[in-house]
Amino acid sequence: MTTNPRPYTHALNRLKEAGLRPTRQRLALARLLFDNGHRHITAEQLHSEAMSQNIKVSLATVYNTLHQFTEAALLNEIVIDSGRSYFDTNTAPHYHFYCEEDGMLSDIPADAVQLARVPNMPRGTELASVDLVFRLRRQSARNVLDGQGFQDKYRGDGSTWNGRPFYTYVCDSNTAYFRLQ
């Protein structure tokens, strides 16, 4: 006979393993963040979700908790610009597509990107990590297809169109095709 764990068990274990005290607010926010798979979320989005589920927490507490979770390696922070950060529950190495029109952030597997050369590090430093965000802007259909028929989709297997790699990306629920040149 299997027993169903209590609703907070997964979140409680994650906090304890990270060395964080499981306060009521941390537990509630951890459940929102981690109970439904990997996701990208802003502090404002998490605050809104918390409020809609009757979790009483201030926006300042959400920010503080997200930063504590980041310091404890439960999250990664992706800084898009000085006024916009996302928090990523996927802490494994990977990169991101960012759609400038709708703010959608999506994962790119680490093995889908090859860095040909890394510059020499300044004396006395070492490389800690590489954060790479491909900023996308929707092109018109004419620019994307260059007046030719579209032949294949990127399936993560190195597909190319017209001799250049491209990726399929969903932005605002419309499919757009972006070539990396």
Side-chain angles (χ1 to χ4, degrees):
M1 179 172 112
T2 60
T3 59
N4 289 333
R6 292 183 296 177
Y8 283 89
T9 301
H10 178 65
L12 181 63
N13 290 340
R14 299 258 338 234
L15 293 177
K16 284 182 178 179
E17 289 169 7
L20 293 172
R21 190 167 53 90
T23 64
R24 180 188 61 80
Q25 291 174 324
R26 281 184 187 152
L27 277 170
L29 294 174
R31 279 194 69 200
L32 291 175
L33 286 167
F34 304 119
D35 279 1
N36 295 310
H38 293 305
R39 61 191 298 206
H40 306 102
I41 193 164
T42 65
E44 292 79 8
Q45 290 168 332
L46 183 59
H47 181 255
S48 178
E49 281 185 27
M51 299 305 285
S52 71
Q53 294 197 17
N54 237 4
I55 299 168
K56 300 201 183 333
V57 62
S58 71
L59 183 57
T61 298
V62 170
Y63 271 104
N64 290 336
T65 301
L66 288 170
H67 288 290
Q68 290 165 356
F69 287 3
T70 301
E71 288 173 20
L74 292 172
L75 298 172
N76 285 331
E77 183 176 11
I78 296 102
V79 179
I80 299 299
D81 58 46
S82 63
R84 187 157 187 99
S85 288
Y86 286 84
F87 294 87
D88 190 351
T89 60
N90 180 0
T91 57
H94 67 286
Y95 307 106
H96 294 94
F97 281 127
Y98 174 70
C99 183
E100 292 180 342
E101 282 88 2
D102 68 3
M104 186 175 178
L105 194 66
S106 61
D107 290 342
I108 304 170
D111 62 0
V113 175
Q114 295 180 4
L115 297 176
R117 198 180 66 156
V118 177
N120 293 331
M121 303 299 123
R123 182 167 283 157
T125 66
E126 64 183 10
L127 183 65
S129 67
V130 175
D131 299 322
L132 188 58
V133 176
F134 291 87
R135 294 172 181 275
L136 306 177
R137 196 175 307 125
R138 197 176 287 122
Q139 296 178 342
S140 69
R142 167 174 272 147
N143 290 340
V144 172
L145 297 177
D146 291 335
Q148 300 178 24
F150 186 71
Q151 298 172 0
D152 196 10
K153 286 186 179 180
Y154 173 75
R155 294 180 299 273
D157 61 357
S159 296
T160 61
W161 176 75
N162 226 14
R164 290 180 251 167
F166 69 91
Y167 297 86
T168 303
Y169 181 71
V170 178
C171 191
D172 273 337
S173 73
N174 295 314
T175 302
Y177 302 95
F178 299 91
R179 285 181 286 147
L180 300 180
Q181 301 185 20

